[in-house]
Amino acid sequence: MEIIPTRVHGVLDYFTGILLILAPWLFGFADGSAAQWVPMVLGAAVIVYSLITDYELGLVAAIPMPVHLMLDVGGGMLLLVSPWLFGFSERIAWPHVAVGLIEVAVAALTHRHAGHAGAAGVR
């Protein structure tokens, strides 16, 4: 079921990227460990691939929306399992799990093709 327009998805992308970068300080796990670095790196990646996605809020139409959504699912799954994969689940897990689940769900509910002529009008 594709109920989220790509323009809305774009807003959520940039919000999620910023949230992931700031999460360690917002939720008290900025300690230099994998718990801090995994969301920060994934947040930066979300911003970068959003900027080069062929949708309304991309700057350069380098990757198609279906590829973007696959990256969202992959990043969300990595974030979701990261507390156990990198061994910090006993200290902090809920922000990673919650944002990971939301990222996967949003990708699953987003339109597969942007309703426009190209990212920021660039082709």
Side-chain angles (χ1 to χ4, degrees):
M1 176 179 0
E2 299 176 1
I3 60 173
I4 299 173
T6 55
R7 181 178 298 276
V8 172
H9 185 99
V11 172
L12 294 173
D13 282 334
Y14 294 110
F15 174 78
T16 300
I18 292 167
L19 174 65
L20 287 171
I21 291 168
L22 297 178
W25 291 274
L26 294 173
F27 302 114
F29 57 93
D31 58 6
S33 71
Q36 173 182 342
W37 285 102
V38 170
M40 290 176 61
V41 169
L42 288 173
V46 168
I47 292 170
V48 169
Y49 70 75
S50 295
L51 288 169
I52 62 169
T53 295
D54 184 15
Y55 68 167
E56 295 89 346
L57 297 182
L59 292 180
V60 178
I63 62 172
M65 194 65 194
V67 172
H68 174 106
L69 295 173
M70 287 190 303
L71 291 170
D72 282 348
V73 169
M77 293 299 291
L78 176 60
L79 191 60
L80 175 64
V81 301
S82 67
W84 297 273
L85 185 64
F86 297 107
F88 57 84
S89 63
E90 292 189 18
R91 205 165 28 92
I92 187 83
W94 72 266
H96 302 75
V97 171
V99 176
L101 284 172
I102 291 167
E103 201 169 352
V104 170
V106 167
L109 295 172
T110 296
H111 290 256
R112 301 291 176 256
H113 301 283
H116 65 89
V122 177
R123 277 265 177 197

